[in-house]
């Protein structure tokens, strides 16, 4: 009785969402904007599918990867969204395989791409359609660009599954019309705090391609290390962790090419003028302020950094701009994207308090303050960054919203927001900036793994740091928790309504999202499990949203889709972390907190 009622609810929800025929077990992620399944029965897929209409090798390679995945995995959906009564036991064959079989066997893919030359840049058309009809032997894909076609392939490879007898099938004819809500859908890796090897970076890109994320924001360096080999200043990699833990120019080009082949842009970030010590100080120690200071958590009003180790570029030293220009120019010649991230976060006044030239500059004019100092940086550095033509810059929001900040930052610089959730998004939109949402309370993937600074007496306390034990504030923040604890679950990420309180014209300023994975506690061994499958929840949020056609949250429907996708990532070599006991995959909604399927609103 209970199960039947729940099953009816689930079917009703699924019906409202997408018109899914209830026998269909596949549930591609991200959910397409529109997907309509037929009812005429499964279609067999031949052991080969001939691709017609590929305009170039990039598309042929992408197809070969997709089809080889289809034929080698022979995927059996690992977690299906379906009535519990039907799927109470893990199906060894999809249920619909037992129903009548449509006559024609699929043997080919007809691809039509309107503009095969559109480059992979911000705002490029990523839409596609995918149609499998009862009568045709060919799958029909249309796209305006090759990038849309690549997305069609990653959808198709998720809906062709095992027929349970060694062959392949598509469960029902299907019609998909798909396009992303947001043009900028990213994850951020940090190779400054710890090194991440090329194979692990490729693994992240594999996961991104499968989930249709399209921007790899690469925070390349930080105060702790400089891993990028520079022709202009070979001495900078003396501050790499080792000779092995560096990226050569050809490494960078290989990452860019690997990503481009999978419809992923690579946007580099060189963090300036804050978070800057390693590498820079090898060029000239005079261009770095407070390099050898104690970061001074002990006496917080005098702190020079928010985490060890300190270092900020000397804003008033003219040599700084020569070095910045040469570093920027060299990297601009390698990275092909029109966007470039120039940092701008967490400038600490206490660092410049140790700078002689800054003290003299303040002494020369008592009206000057730290805001003027940051404005000096913007006025002198931004003209360097605006070459070459077509360059769009991204900065962290601090340069506009923090204390201190620059009062006059050009409005055509995109701001990446990470503080105060919807409040800062609103403030930036009202100010007229385009916005990338990375709100730390929702999207920071590094949170909740405890603090990492050492000699920390907060851990030498044998009592509950939150004796009230109130669930949502338990161990939040201090007393040994990470600054942005707790860990952000896939549900926290997926449920984030980041355009809350924006007018429709303000909402147009939000170009997309990025989930950062800061790497103080991340290297090759854990990067994938911290990134995935949570980044896939972000991917769907930015591709087709977290609401159904009726405007209701669809997190409960997403649950099985995400769990299946996690298994699919692992099968594809992406070491995504388990989210639940496998029991929950095999018993849809048995692990829900609430029986009411509309509890999430
Ligand atoms: C700068 O240093 C002086 C002297 O130590 C101190 O009084 C002042 O508070 C410092 N200012 C900042 C912003 O750290
Ligand atoms: C002193 O600094 C203030 C604030 O930046 C500025 O408005 C003013 O023009 C400066 N005066 C001189 C003489 O440079
Ligand atoms: C939206 O705005 C209202 C009114 O200013 C405010 O009370 C509410 O907290 C805001 N919501 C969010 C999520 O910021």
């Amino acid at each position: 009785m209970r199960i039947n009622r729940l099953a009816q609810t689930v079917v009703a929800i699924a019906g409202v969402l997408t018109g899914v025929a209830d026998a269909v077990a596949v549930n591609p992620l991200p959910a397409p904007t529109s997907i309509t399944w037929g009812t005429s029965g499964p279609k067999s897929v031949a052991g080969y599918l001939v691709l017609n209409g590929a305009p170039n090798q990039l598309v042929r390679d992408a197809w070969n990867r997709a089809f080889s995945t289809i034929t080698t995995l022979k995927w059996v959906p690992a977690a299906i969204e379906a009535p519990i009564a039907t799927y109470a036991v893990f199906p060894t064959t999809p249920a619909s395989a037992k129903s009548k079989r449509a006559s024609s066997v699929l043997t080919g893919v007809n691809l039509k791409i309107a503009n095969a030359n559109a480059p992979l840049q911000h705002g490029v058309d990523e839409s596609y359609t995918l149609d499998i009809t009862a009568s045709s032997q060919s799958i029909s894909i249309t796209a305006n660009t090759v990038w849309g076609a690549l997305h069609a392939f990653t959808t198709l490879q998720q809906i062709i599954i095992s027929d349970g007898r060694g062959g392949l099938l598509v469960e029902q004819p299907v019609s998909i019309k798909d396009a992303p809500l947001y043009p900028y859908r990213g994850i951020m890796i940090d190779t400054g705090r710890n090194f991440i090897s090329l194979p692990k970076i490729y693994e992240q890109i594999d996961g991104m391609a499968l989930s249709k994320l399209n921007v790899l924001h690469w925070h390349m360096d930080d105060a702790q290390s400089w891993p990028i080999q520079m022709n202009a200043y070979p001495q900078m990699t003396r501050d790499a962790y080792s000779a092995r833990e560096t990226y050569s120019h050809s490494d960078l080009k290989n990452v860019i090419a690997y990503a481009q082949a999978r419809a992923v842009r690579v946007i580099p970030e060189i963090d300036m003028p804050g978070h800057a010590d390693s590498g820079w100080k090898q060029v000239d120690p005079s261009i770095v302020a407070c390099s050898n200071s104690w970061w001074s958590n002990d006496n917080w009003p005098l702190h020079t950094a928010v985490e060890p180790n300190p270092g900020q570029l000397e804003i008033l030293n003219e040599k700084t701009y020569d070095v910045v220009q040469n570093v920027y120019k060299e990297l601009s010649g390698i990275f092909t994207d029109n966007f470039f991230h120039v940092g701008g976060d967490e400038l600490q006044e206490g660092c410049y308090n140790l700078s002689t030239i800054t003290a003299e500059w303040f002494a020369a004019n008592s009206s000057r303050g730290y805001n003027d100092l940051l404005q000096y940086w913007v006025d002198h550095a931004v003209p360097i960054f605006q070459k070459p033509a077509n360059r769009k810059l991204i900065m962290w929001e601090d340069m506009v919203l923090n204390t201190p900040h620059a009062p006059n930052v050009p409005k055509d610089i995109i701001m990446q927001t990470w503080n105060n959730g919807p409040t800062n998004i609103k403030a930036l939109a009202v100010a007229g900036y385009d916005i990338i949402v990375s709100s730390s309370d929702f999207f920071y993937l590094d949170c909740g793994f405890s603090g990492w600074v050492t000699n920390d007496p907060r851990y030498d306390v044998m009592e509950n740091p939150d004796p009230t034990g109130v669930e949502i504030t338990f161990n939040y923040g201090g007393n040994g928790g990470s600054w942005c604890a707790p860990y952000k679950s896939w549900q926290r990420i997926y449920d984030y309504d980041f355009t809350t309180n924006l007018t429709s014209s303000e909402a147009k300023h939000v170009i997309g999202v990025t989930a950062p994975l800061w790497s103080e506690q991340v290297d090759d061994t854990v990067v994938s499990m911290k990134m995935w499958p949570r980044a896939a929840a972000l991917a769907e949020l930015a591709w087709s949203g977290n609401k159904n056609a009726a405007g209701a949250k669809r997190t409960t429907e997403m649950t099985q889709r995400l769990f299946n996708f996690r298994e699919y990532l692992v099968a594809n070599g992406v070491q995504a972390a388990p989210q639940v006991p496998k029991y929950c995959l095999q018993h849809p909604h048995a692990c829900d907190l609430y029986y009411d399927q509309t509890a999430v609103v």
Side-chain angles (χ1 to χ4, degrees), residues 362-405:
F362 284 144
N365 179 346
S366 59
S367 309
R368 284 175 177 149
Y370 284 102
N371 284 3
D372 300 300
L373 183 66
L374 268 57
Q375 189 64 46
Y376 189 102
W377 168 260
V378 168
D379 292 344
H380 290 75
V382 167
I384 296 171
F385 301 147
Q386 273 167 347
K387 300 164 201 139
N390 298 331
R391 175 67 82 221
K392 271 293 252 187
L393 298 177
I394 307 171
M395 285 183 182
W396 296 104
E397 66 180 351
D398 311 41
M399 197 53 87
V400 171
L401 296 181
N402 206 1
T403 304
H405 63 270

Short mmCIF file of all heavy atoms in Angstrom, two decimals, residues 362-405:
data_model
loop_
_atom_site.label_atom_id
_atom_site.label_comp_id
_atom_site.label_asym_id
_atom_site.label_seq_id
_atom_site.Cartn_x
_atom_site.Cartn_y
_atom_site.Cartn_z
N PHE A 362 51.88 56.54 1.25
CA PHE A 362 50.84 57.03 2.16
C PHE A 362 51.30 58.30 2.87
O PHE A 362 50.53 59.26 3.04
CB PHE A 362 50.48 55.96 3.21
CG PHE A 362 49.62 54.84 2.68
CD1 PHE A 362 49.79 53.53 3.13
CD2 PHE A 362 48.62 55.09 1.75
CE1 PHE A 362 48.99 52.50 2.67
CE2 PHE A 362 47.81 54.05 1.27
CZ PHE A 362 48.01 52.76 1.73
N ALA A 363 52.60 58.35 3.27
CA ALA A 363 53.11 59.50 4.01
C ALA A 363 53.11 60.76 3.14
O ALA A 363 52.92 61.88 3.64
CB ALA A 363 54.52 59.21 4.52
N ALA A 364 53.27 60.57 1.82
CA ALA A 364 53.35 61.71 0.91
C ALA A 364 51.99 62.41 0.75
O ALA A 364 51.93 63.54 0.28
CB ALA A 364 53.87 61.26 -0.45
N ASN A 365 50.93 61.70 1.09
CA ASN A 365 49.59 62.28 0.93
C ASN A 365 48.66 61.60 1.93
O ASN A 365 48.26 60.45 1.73
CB ASN A 365 49.11 62.07 -0.52
CG ASN A 365 47.71 62.63 -0.75
OD1 ASN A 365 46.99 62.93 0.22
ND2 ASN A 365 47.34 62.75 -2.02
N SER A 366 48.34 62.32 2.97
CA SER A 366 47.61 61.69 4.08
C SER A 366 46.17 61.35 3.70
O SER A 366 45.47 60.65 4.43
CB SER A 366 47.62 62.61 5.30
OG SER A 366 47.03 63.85 4.95
N SER A 367 45.70 61.81 2.54
CA SER A 367 44.34 61.43 2.12
C SER A 367 44.29 60.03 1.52
O SER A 367 43.23 59.47 1.31
CB SER A 367 43.82 62.40 1.05
OG SER A 367 43.97 63.71 1.48
N ARG A 368 45.45 59.49 1.18
CA ARG A 368 45.47 58.18 0.52
C ARG A 368 45.16 57.05 1.49
O ARG A 368 45.60 57.08 2.65
CB ARG A 368 46.84 57.91 -0.10
CG ARG A 368 47.08 58.67 -1.38
CD ARG A 368 48.51 58.45 -1.85
NE ARG A 368 48.73 59.12 -3.12
CZ ARG A 368 49.90 59.63 -3.50
NH1 ARG A 368 50.95 59.54 -2.71
NH2 ARG A 368 50.02 60.22 -4.67
N GLY A 369 44.43 56.07 1.00
CA GLY A 369 44.14 54.88 1.79
C GLY A 369 44.35 53.63 0.96
O GLY A 369 44.79 53.70 -0.21
N TYR A 370 44.04 52.48 1.55
CA TYR A 370 44.26 51.21 0.84
C TYR A 370 43.39 51.08 -0.40
O TYR A 370 43.78 50.44 -1.38
CB TYR A 370 44.05 50.03 1.80
CG TYR A 370 45.21 49.83 2.75
CD1 TYR A 370 45.15 50.25 4.07
CD2 TYR A 370 46.40 49.25 2.30
CE1 TYR A 370 46.22 50.10 4.93
CE2 TYR A 370 47.49 49.09 3.14
CZ TYR A 370 47.39 49.51 4.46
OH TYR A 370 48.45 49.35 5.30
N ASN A 371 42.20 51.70 -0.40
CA ASN A 371 41.39 51.68 -1.62
C ASN A 371 42.12 52.36 -2.77
O ASN A 371 42.06 51.89 -3.92
CB ASN A 371 40.04 52.38 -1.39
CG ASN A 371 39.08 51.52 -0.58
OD1 ASN A 371 39.42 50.42 -0.16
ND2 ASN A 371 37.88 52.02 -0.38
N ASP A 372 42.81 53.45 -2.46
CA ASP A 372 43.59 54.13 -3.50
C ASP A 372 44.71 53.23 -4.02
O ASP A 372 45.04 53.24 -5.21
CB ASP A 372 44.18 55.44 -2.96
CG ASP A 372 43.10 56.39 -2.49
OD1 ASP A 372 42.26 56.78 -3.32
OD2 ASP A 372 43.09 56.71 -1.29
N LEU A 373 45.30 52.47 -3.10
CA LEU A 373 46.38 51.56 -3.50
C LEU A 373 45.84 50.51 -4.48
O LEU A 373 46.47 50.23 -5.51
CB LEU A 373 46.97 50.88 -2.26
CG LEU A 373 48.16 49.96 -2.50
CD1 LEU A 373 49.38 50.75 -2.98
CD2 LEU A 373 48.51 49.17 -1.23
N LEU A 374 44.69 49.96 -4.18
CA LEU A 374 44.12 48.95 -5.09
C LEU A 374 43.69 49.58 -6.42
O LEU A 374 43.82 48.95 -7.48
CB LEU A 374 42.94 48.22 -4.42
CG LEU A 374 43.37 46.93 -3.70
CD1 LEU A 374 44.42 47.18 -2.64
CD2 LEU A 374 42.17 46.21 -3.12
N GLN A 375 43.23 50.82 -6.34
CA GLN A 375 42.88 51.50 -7.58
C GLN A 375 44.12 51.70 -8.45
O GLN A 375 44.05 51.59 -9.67
CB GLN A 375 42.23 52.86 -7.28
CG GLN A 375 41.65 53.54 -8.52
CD GLN A 375 40.52 52.72 -9.13
OE1 GLN A 375 39.62 52.25 -8.43
NE2 GLN A 375 40.56 52.51 -10.45
N TYR A 376 45.26 51.96 -7.80
CA TYR A 376 46.53 52.10 -8.52
C TYR A 376 46.83 50.80 -9.28
O TYR A 376 47.23 50.81 -10.44
CB TYR A 376 47.65 52.43 -7.52
CG TYR A 376 48.97 52.80 -8.15
CD1 TYR A 376 49.37 54.14 -8.23
CD2 TYR A 376 49.84 51.82 -8.65
CE1 TYR A 376 50.60 54.49 -8.81
CE2 TYR A 376 51.05 52.16 -9.24
CZ TYR A 376 51.43 53.50 -9.30
OH TYR A 376 52.64 53.83 -9.88
N TRP A 377 46.61 49.67 -8.61
CA TRP A 377 46.80 48.38 -9.28
C TRP A 377 45.89 48.26 -10.51
O TRP A 377 46.34 47.93 -11.61
CB TRP A 377 46.52 47.22 -8.30
CG TRP A 377 46.41 45.89 -9.00
CD1 TRP A 377 45.26 45.24 -9.35
CD2 TRP A 377 47.48 45.08 -9.50
NE1 TRP A 377 45.53 44.08 -10.01
CE2 TRP A 377 46.90 43.95 -10.12
CE3 TRP A 377 48.87 45.19 -9.48
CZ2 TRP A 377 47.65 42.95 -10.71
CZ3 TRP A 377 49.64 44.18 -10.08
CH2 TRP A 377 49.03 43.09 -10.68
N VAL A 378 44.61 48.54 -10.32
CA VAL A 378 43.65 48.41 -11.43
C VAL A 378 44.06 49.33 -12.58
O VAL A 378 44.09 48.92 -13.75
CB VAL A 378 42.22 48.73 -10.94
CG1 VAL A 378 41.25 48.89 -12.12
CG2 VAL A 378 41.74 47.63 -10.00
N ASP A 379 44.42 50.56 -12.25
CA ASP A 379 44.75 51.53 -13.31
C ASP A 379 46.01 51.14 -14.07
O ASP A 379 46.14 51.44 -15.26
CB ASP A 379 44.94 52.93 -12.69
CG ASP A 379 43.63 53.48 -12.15
OD1 ASP A 379 42.56 52.95 -12.50
OD2 ASP A 379 43.68 54.44 -11.35
N HIS A 380 46.95 50.48 -13.40
CA HIS A 380 48.21 50.14 -14.07
C HIS A 380 48.23 48.73 -14.65
O HIS A 380 48.91 48.48 -15.63
CB HIS A 380 49.39 50.32 -13.09
CG HIS A 380 49.66 51.75 -12.77
ND1 HIS A 380 48.86 52.50 -11.93
CD2 HIS A 380 50.62 52.62 -13.21
CE1 HIS A 380 49.31 53.74 -11.86
NE2 HIS A 380 50.38 53.84 -12.62
N ALA A 381 47.49 47.80 -14.04
CA ALA A 381 47.55 46.41 -14.51
C ALA A 381 46.51 46.13 -15.60
O ALA A 381 46.81 45.41 -16.57
CB ALA A 381 47.34 45.45 -13.33
N VAL A 382 45.32 46.68 -15.47
CA VAL A 382 44.26 46.34 -16.43
C VAL A 382 44.64 46.69 -17.87
O VAL A 382 44.37 45.90 -18.78
CB VAL A 382 42.91 46.95 -15.98
CG1 VAL A 382 41.87 46.88 -17.10
CG2 VAL A 382 42.40 46.22 -14.73
N PRO A 383 45.29 47.84 -18.11
CA PRO A 383 45.70 48.10 -19.51
C PRO A 383 46.63 47.02 -20.06
O PRO A 383 46.56 46.70 -21.25
CB PRO A 383 46.42 49.45 -19.40
CG PRO A 383 45.82 50.11 -18.21
CD PRO A 383 45.55 48.99 -17.23
N ILE A 384 47.47 46.44 -19.22
CA ILE A 384 48.33 45.33 -19.67
C ILE A 384 47.46 44.12 -20.03
O ILE A 384 47.65 43.49 -21.07
CB ILE A 384 49.31 44.92 -18.54
CG1 ILE A 384 50.28 46.05 -18.22
CG2 ILE A 384 50.06 43.64 -18.91
CD1 ILE A 384 51.13 45.79 -16.97
N PHE A 385 46.47 43.85 -19.18
CA PHE A 385 45.63 42.65 -19.38
C PHE A 385 44.68 42.80 -20.57
O PHE A 385 44.12 41.81 -21.02
CB PHE A 385 44.81 42.37 -18.12
CG PHE A 385 45.64 42.14 -16.87
CD1 PHE A 385 45.16 42.54 -15.63
CD2 PHE A 385 46.87 41.52 -16.94
CE1 PHE A 385 45.90 42.32 -14.47
CE2 PHE A 385 47.62 41.29 -15.79
CZ PHE A 385 47.13 41.70 -14.55
N GLN A 386 44.44 44.01 -21.01
CA GLN A 386 43.46 44.16 -22.09
C GLN A 386 44.02 43.86 -23.45
O GLN A 386 43.29 43.84 -24.44
CB GLN A 386 42.77 45.52 -22.02
CG GLN A 386 41.58 45.40 -21.06
CD GLN A 386 41.00 46.73 -20.65
OE1 GLN A 386 41.59 47.77 -20.86
NE2 GLN A 386 39.82 46.67 -20.05
N LYS A 387 45.31 43.61 -23.54
CA LYS A 387 45.85 43.07 -24.78
C LYS A 387 45.89 41.56 -24.62
O LYS A 387 46.17 41.09 -23.53
CB LYS A 387 47.26 43.62 -25.03
CG LYS A 387 47.29 45.13 -25.14
CD LYS A 387 48.71 45.64 -25.01
CE LYS A 387 48.69 47.11 -24.61
NZ LYS A 387 49.68 47.47 -23.61
N PRO A 388 45.67 40.74 -25.60
CA PRO A 388 45.31 41.09 -26.97
C PRO A 388 43.83 41.49 -27.10
O PRO A 388 43.09 41.40 -26.14
CB PRO A 388 45.57 39.76 -27.71
CG PRO A 388 45.33 38.72 -26.68
CD PRO A 388 45.79 39.30 -25.38
N ALA A 389 43.47 41.90 -28.32
CA ALA A 389 42.08 42.28 -28.59
C ALA A 389 41.18 41.09 -28.30
O ALA A 389 41.63 39.94 -28.35
CB ALA A 389 41.95 42.71 -30.04
N ASN A 390 39.92 41.34 -28.02
CA ASN A 390 38.91 40.31 -27.68
C ASN A 390 39.10 39.74 -26.28
O ASN A 390 38.34 38.88 -25.86
CB ASN A 390 38.91 39.11 -28.64
CG ASN A 390 38.58 39.50 -30.04
OD1 ASN A 390 37.86 40.47 -30.25
ND2 ASN A 390 39.11 38.77 -31.01
N ARG A 391 40.09 40.20 -25.58
CA ARG A 391 40.31 39.67 -24.23
C ARG A 391 39.20 40.12 -23.28
O ARG A 391 38.86 41.29 -23.23
CB ARG A 391 41.67 40.15 -23.70
CG ARG A 391 41.94 39.76 -22.27
CD ARG A 391 42.12 38.25 -22.09
NE ARG A 391 43.47 37.83 -22.43
CZ ARG A 391 43.74 36.72 -23.11
NH1 ARG A 391 42.79 35.92 -23.51
NH2 ARG A 391 44.99 36.39 -23.39
N LYS A 392 38.60 39.15 -22.59
CA LYS A 392 37.66 39.44 -21.50
C LYS A 392 38.34 39.01 -20.21
O LYS A 392 38.88 37.90 -20.12
CB LYS A 392 36.38 38.62 -21.67
CG LYS A 392 35.29 39.26 -22.50
CD LYS A 392 34.69 40.47 -21.84
CE LYS A 392 33.30 40.25 -21.31
NZ LYS A 392 32.69 41.52 -20.84
N LEU A 393 38.30 39.87 -19.22
CA LEU A 393 38.95 39.56 -17.94
C LEU A 393 37.94 39.10 -16.90
O LEU A 393 36.79 39.55 -16.89
CB LEU A 393 39.67 40.79 -17.41
CG LEU A 393 40.80 41.33 -18.29
CD1 LEU A 393 41.37 42.60 -17.67
CD2 LEU A 393 41.89 40.28 -18.48
N ILE A 394 38.40 38.20 -16.04
CA ILE A 394 37.63 37.80 -14.86
C ILE A 394 38.46 38.17 -13.63
O ILE A 394 39.68 37.99 -13.62
CB ILE A 394 37.37 36.28 -14.84
CG1 ILE A 394 36.72 35.81 -16.16
CG2 ILE A 394 36.47 35.90 -13.65
CD1 ILE A 394 36.64 34.28 -16.28
N MET A 395 37.77 38.69 -12.61
CA MET A 395 38.40 38.92 -11.31
C MET A 395 37.50 38.34 -10.23
O MET A 395 36.29 38.25 -10.40
CB MET A 395 38.57 40.42 -11.02
CG MET A 395 39.67 41.11 -11.79
SD MET A 395 39.79 42.85 -11.25
CE MET A 395 41.10 43.42 -12.34
N TRP A 396 38.11 37.98 -9.11
CA TRP A 396 37.32 37.68 -7.92
C TRP A 396 36.63 38.97 -7.46
O TRP A 396 37.18 40.05 -7.61
CB TRP A 396 38.20 37.10 -6.82
CG TRP A 396 38.81 35.77 -7.18
CD1 TRP A 396 40.11 35.54 -7.56
CD2 TRP A 396 38.15 34.50 -7.21
NE1 TRP A 396 40.28 34.20 -7.82
CE2 TRP A 396 39.09 33.53 -7.61
CE3 TRP A 396 36.85 34.07 -6.94
CZ2 TRP A 396 38.79 32.18 -7.75
CZ3 TRP A 396 36.54 32.72 -7.07
CH2 TRP A 396 37.50 31.79 -7.48
N GLU A 397 35.45 38.81 -6.88
CA GLU A 397 34.62 39.96 -6.51
C GLU A 397 35.29 40.91 -5.50
O GLU A 397 34.89 42.07 -5.40
CB GLU A 397 33.31 39.47 -5.89
CG GLU A 397 33.53 38.75 -4.55
CD GLU A 397 32.25 38.24 -3.90
OE1 GLU A 397 31.15 38.56 -4.35
OE2 GLU A 397 32.40 37.49 -2.90
N ASP A 398 36.28 40.40 -4.77
CA ASP A 398 36.94 41.20 -3.73
C ASP A 398 37.38 42.57 -4.23
O ASP A 398 37.34 43.55 -3.50
CB ASP A 398 38.19 40.48 -3.18
CG ASP A 398 37.94 39.04 -2.80
OD1 ASP A 398 37.22 38.35 -3.55
OD2 ASP A 398 38.47 38.60 -1.76
N MET A 399 37.83 42.61 -5.49
CA MET A 399 38.37 43.86 -6.02
C MET A 399 37.32 44.97 -6.03
O MET A 399 37.64 46.15 -6.03
CB MET A 399 38.95 43.61 -7.42
CG MET A 399 39.89 44.67 -7.94
SD MET A 399 41.26 45.06 -6.81
CE MET A 399 42.49 43.86 -7.25
N VAL A 400 36.02 44.55 -6.00
CA VAL A 400 34.92 45.52 -6.01
C VAL A 400 34.23 45.60 -4.65
O VAL A 400 33.79 46.67 -4.23
CB VAL A 400 33.90 45.11 -7.10
CG1 VAL A 400 32.63 45.96 -7.00
CG2 VAL A 400 34.51 45.25 -8.48
N LEU A 401 34.13 44.47 -3.93
CA LEU A 401 33.26 44.43 -2.76
C LEU A 401 33.98 44.33 -1.42
O LEU A 401 33.38 44.52 -0.38
CB LEU A 401 32.29 43.24 -2.87
CG LEU A 401 31.28 43.26 -4.02
CD1 LEU A 401 30.39 42.02 -3.95
CD2 LEU A 401 30.43 44.52 -3.99
N ASN A 402 35.25 43.99 -1.44
CA ASN A 402 35.94 43.72 -0.17
C ASN A 402 36.42 45.02 0.49
O ASN A 402 36.35 46.09 -0.08
CB ASN A 402 37.13 42.78 -0.43
CG ASN A 402 37.49 41.94 0.79
OD1 ASN A 402 36.86 42.02 1.83
ND2 ASN A 402 38.54 41.14 0.64
N THR A 403 36.92 44.90 1.70
CA THR A 403 37.66 45.97 2.36
C THR A 403 39.11 45.52 2.48
O THR A 403 39.36 44.52 3.16
CB THR A 403 37.12 46.24 3.78
OG1 THR A 403 35.73 46.51 3.67
CG2 THR A 403 37.84 47.41 4.41
N PRO A 404 40.07 46.13 1.79
CA PRO A 404 39.89 47.25 0.86
C PRO A 404 39.45 46.78 -0.53
O PRO A 404 39.51 45.60 -0.84
CB PRO A 404 41.31 47.83 0.78
CG PRO A 404 42.20 46.63 0.93
CD PRO A 404 41.48 45.71 1.88
N HIS A 405 39.02 47.74 -1.37
CA HIS A 405 38.67 47.44 -2.75
C HIS A 405 39.02 48.64 -3.62
O HIS A 405 39.26 49.73 -3.10
CB HIS A 405 37.19 47.11 -2.88
CG HIS A 405 36.30 48.26 -2.52
ND1 HIS A 405 35.84 48.47 -1.25
CD2 HIS A 405 35.84 49.30 -3.27
CE1 HIS A 405 35.11 49.57 -1.21
NE2 HIS A 405 35.09 50.10 -2.42
#
